[in-house]
Amino acid sequence: MDIRRARICDLRKALDTKQISAPELCGEYFSRIEAVDGRLQSYITVTKEKAFEMAAEAQKVIDSGKATALTGIPIAVKDNICTDGVKTTCASRMLENFVPPYDATVIENLKREGYVLLGKTSMDEFAMGGSNQTSAFAKTRNPHDLERVPGGSSGGSAAAVAASLAPCSLGSDTGGSIRQPAAFCGVTGIKPTYGRVSRYGLVAFASSLDQIGPIASSAEDCAILLNTLCSHDERDATSARVTVPDFTEKLGQPVNGMTIAMPKEFFADEIDNEVREAVLEAAKSLEAKGAKLVECSMPSLKYAIPAYYLIACAEAASNLSRFDGIKYGYRGEGATFEELIRDSRTKGFGEEVKRRILLGNYALSSGYYDAYYKKALALKQEIIKEYNELYSVADVILTPTAPTVAYRIGEQEKDPVKMYLADICTVTVNIAGLPAINTTCGYDKAGMPIGMSLVGKRFDEATILQLADAFERDFMPVLPKL
Amino acid sequence: MRYYPTMGLEIHAELLTKSKVFCSCSAEFGGEPNTRCCPVCSGLPGTLPVLNRRAVEYIIKAGYVMNCDISRFTKWDRKNYFYPDLPKAYQISQMPRPVCLDGHVDIKVNDEDKTIRINRIHLEEDAGKLTHEGRISLADYNRCGIPLIEIVTEPDFHSAEEVVAFFEKIKLLLLYAGICDCKMEQGSIRCDVNISIAPEGSEKLGTRTELKNLNSLKAIAKAIEVEIARQTEILDNGGEIVQETRRFNEAAMETLAMRSKEDAHDYRYFPDPDIPPIIFTEEELADIRATLPEMPEQRMARYRTAYGISENDAVIIVSDKRVSDFYDEAVDGCKSPKNVASYLVGEFMRRVNLGEIDLDELKFSGKDFARLVEYLYSDKLSQNNAKLVLGEMAQRGSSPESIADEQDLWIKEDTELLSAVIDEIIASNPKAAEQYRNGDQKVFGFFMGQANKALKGAASPKAIQEQLIAKLRR
């Protein structure tokens, strides 16, 4: 069986019709991982032994005729999502040997379905970055061009799916960390509404912005995964008490009559010409399917980057304080506990993580709180207000996912401000807690994928999935040659 | 120069919830180290706190009994600092929007009434415990996440007596409300004192220090005394007080500097994004208020009006909730609550003070005690034998009936024996009998004593008295 870009529904059919067994399928992916991942570096940990055990269990369920959507489906999981008994490193020396004694809620949900864990994917350290080059263990490359970055922070999850080292994966998105690598690698990824998926077991970067979501080959696969990932969770006080629909229900329904808003600030000069053209082209094809395009404005976008980095870094500074080398994780040396903590954190964290901790603590320190953090919270309210205004006239907002295609390794990482500015298209969605999906809408001259984002109303993942699916039906993705 | 001290308190009280404030671990005191903790309260990555609604109910109750305004909107903040007993490196606490604001509590010191204002009460989590053994330190996270309320007063105290009276009153209110067991020795209630002195008559307050490590009421009073003396000496010698935290060393009777204002932490408070704010409705608050049990003042009023007991007795009974609960159990269905009260305040409390009765481990019930009092007042047991029976009850917990049976302590009302004994006493003391008949009432006590001794409870005091009078007058 050719597993290159196999979709979940194809695999389901193959498994249920006994065309392939769950352990055989699992073996196919490990063959590819062994052949390719030395160059790609998408996994930090490969859980081969465990995967075959899980696959054997899944096969029993399949044989008994009780298989559900994800029984026996191999899935890669970002290495900041806790997996009981499996190392969860956040791509940091700090957690190099950390083995959580519990599963994240999303992992429990997947286990109930009988999924198969392929391994833990690389990422930017503690999800801080957009290139996967801050990973302490596996600096993932882009499967379309190994000289380029895969995006980040869920770069491993996106690259693994693009290169068919997993049919689908889990990522996490704090300021674009699912959508941007999905765009750079030419796959589909959705960040659900804040509160839709439990954060329990996701190692926190910025608690008010973080959300787990799926990365896969199609919007349909994302919908299938969301059906399992979403649940109200008593262990996460920010988990919403909303009913979870069947996200596949609206797929295939006509999109005519749908209104799509395109705020002009997202198509301004900072956006690369080829990217702009491809996204506008995609908008036209949606218009041809009966959707109505509306031009509009989102003036607060110019404040989005500072607001985002203040909120995210402040929360991160506090969230990452627990890594002190005392209970678990990297332990430095020192005669007093102050020295021990200082040494552990100096050596355990990478440069980008330390930069953001400093930034966050600065923004929260006495005398600066009002000037920075409080203002950022006010901007958050402003951004939410502008989104609400847009949604009074539109069903969905369409923007590019990133200002450029994947850039060359080493091109931008040395300039943190430039790196931060590259998040301009994605961060407002997290600030407002909205759902957004990336799907591939074209390729540049060099053959690098270009992504567009569809942003929905709160808890209306179904509509953006429907729209992305409608687009994907007439779009032929190009597979990397890897 | 003469100085006038001014003090304010920060009281930390652990709430009596079954589970911790942000996870489902047991909140009980003690346990083998690190057996009452889980990934959440030991701060493992990826875990999230979920607020215990019972703890919120308890702090609202605390607010009501201290006459506070309850915020309709309340939220939690992170207080960030590194310390090995704080696994997340931040404490979840409340900064700008605490649950309770602007309360007051009345106290009585040297017969004078005084009102102490409460600035705020907020809900937070306790930290773990460090033990230092030579060059190594051990962390126990059992206490991590036990719900804690912090009661902050205004600087309304001007003497150690006021502080002690207030602290005792707070303990009483918390105990009655059933929200804290107030065991200072286990650290379930702790008190820090902010203290400054200023020349008498001065409008301005002096520079304050904060006293910590006050483990008993005695320590609080002593530490205040010692610190006032230290500050006085500095000012008298022309020195300046440094704003700092000081630790009381009870053995050495001195306070020692812990950290000064300069090395004070910048806690970088900000709203905790993991815990959504709470908005209370009037109905929710009313429901919680309705669950408040009877408080000391209400009990005292009930004792005075329904049972007619003296103010003095009522004060003594309610000032210890265990005594008051015992009394309530004793008088339930009892005909003479007033007698029970006086025997309780007298003989029972005497034995409590002597350590013969342990209020935490009472061996007999209130009902047993009420029957004992009943026997005493209905002349079935003599004064002395009742004491004997109570002593046995305290020791081994039998019923008063079985003890009196076993040891043959009942008054038998043996009239023949009584008559014979009295005849004999009068006959062998003719002089004293003569004195009585000549109007000397004092010797009557001598005859009563002789008769009691000879009869050993065979007759009631009333019967002896009647017989004696009759026979002596003859």
Side-chain angles (χ1 to χ4, degrees), chain A residues 123-322:
Chain A
M123 52 188 278
D124 282 292
E125 185 180 3
F126 283 104
M128 296 176 181
S131 67
N132 257 43
Q133 305 309 298
T134 70
S135 170
F137 309 119
K139 298 190 193 321
T140 314
R141 289 157 181 267
N142 193 309
H144 289 271
D145 177 353
L146 292 175
E147 297 309 310
R148 296 186 191 237
V149 301
S153 66
S154 310
S157 291
V161 173
S164 304
L165 308 191
C168 56
S169 62
L170 298 191
S172 70
D173 191 316
T174 306
S177 280
I178 287 176
R179 292 158 286 156
Q180 184 256 26
F184 279 15
C185 293
V187 291
T188 305
I190 182 167
K191 179 203 97 75
T193 310
Y194 185 78
R196 183 61 110 172
V197 177
S198 168
R199 291 187 296 117
Y200 188 86
L202 169 67
V203 180
F205 161 15
S207 315
S208 72
L209 307 166
D210 295 343
Q211 195 66 190
I212 294 171
I215 295 174
S217 294
S218 66
E220 186 191 9
D221 282 3
C222 286
I224 292 168
L225 286 159
L226 271 189
N227 280 348
T228 298
L229 299 178
C230 298
S231 61
H232 171 68
D233 186 4
E234 296 290 342
R235 291 178 299 187
D236 174 3
T238 63
S239 153
R241 284 180 190 277
V242 288
T243 47
V244 179
D246 176 357
F247 292 104
T248 63
E249 215 159 43
K250 286 173 87 174
L251 304 182
Q253 286 180 20
V255 298
N256 57 319
M258 220 179 257
T259 308
I260 301 172
M262 296 167 68
K264 60 175 193 282
E265 289 80 1
F266 284 89
F267 296 87
D269 290 347
E270 304 90 293
I271 309 299
D272 187 84
N273 273 334
E274 283 188 273
V275 171
R276 190 189 304 113
E277 291 312 315
V279 175
L280 291 175
E281 197 61 38
K284 274 193 203 127
S285 90
L286 288 171
E287 194 177 28
K289 290 177 195 294
K292 203 176 112 205
L293 302 183
V294 193
E295 211 185 292
C296 61
S297 172
M298 198 171 163
S300 67
L301 188 67
K302 59 176 172 290
Y303 306 117
I305 292 291
Y308 168 77
Y309 275 93
L310 283 169
I311 294 170
C313 293
E315 292 180 12
S318 174
N319 283 332
L320 270 62
S321 296
R322 70 185 65 199

Side-chain angles (χ1 to χ4, degrees), chain A residues 37 92 107 162 348 370 449 479:
Chain A
D37 208 41
S92 178
I107 298 297
D370 287 357
L479 295 191

Side-chain angles (χ1 to χ4, degrees), chain A residues 52-117:
Chain A
F52 279 112
E53 283 168 26
M54 291 171 95
E57 280 304 308
Q59 190 56 44
K60 285 185 204 158
V61 179
I62 295 168
D63 291 340
S64 70
K66 286 181 183 145
T68 47
L70 299 177
T71 313
I73 302 293
I75 299 179
V77 173
K78 187 177 181 180
D79 211 20
N80 61 349
I81 297 171
C82 287
T83 39
D84 191 353
V86 177
K87 262 197 317 184
T88 300
T89 70
C90 292
S92 178
R93 275 193 83 186
M94 184 57 91
L95 290 178
E96 189 165 5
N97 298 309
F98 178 66
V99 179
Y102 47 89
D103 276 325
T105 298
V106 289
I107 298 297
E108 285 182 355
N109 290 356
L110 290 174
K111 273 189 174 170
R112 223 171 288 128
E113 288 265 325
Y115 93 117
V116 175
L117 175 68

Side-chain angles (χ1 to χ4, degrees), chain A residues 102 199 201 318-319 327 361 366, chain B residues 43 45-46 78 80 87 266 268 274:
Chain A
Y102 47 89
R199 291 187 296 117
S318 174
N319 283 332
K327 306 164 291 288
N361 277 326
S366 88
Chain B
R78 291 187 184 175
N80 296 285
D266 177 356
R268 290 156 288 135
D274 290 328

Side-chain angles (χ1 to χ4, degrees), chain A residues 439-461:
Chain A
T439 188
T440 312
C441 64
Y443 297 86
D444 76 351
K445 285 192 208 79
M448 295 309 293
I450 296 168
M452 68 166 168
S453 280
L454 298 163
V455 185
K457 296 178 181 169
R458 271 165 61 78
F459 297 108
D460 190 15
E461 288 83 0

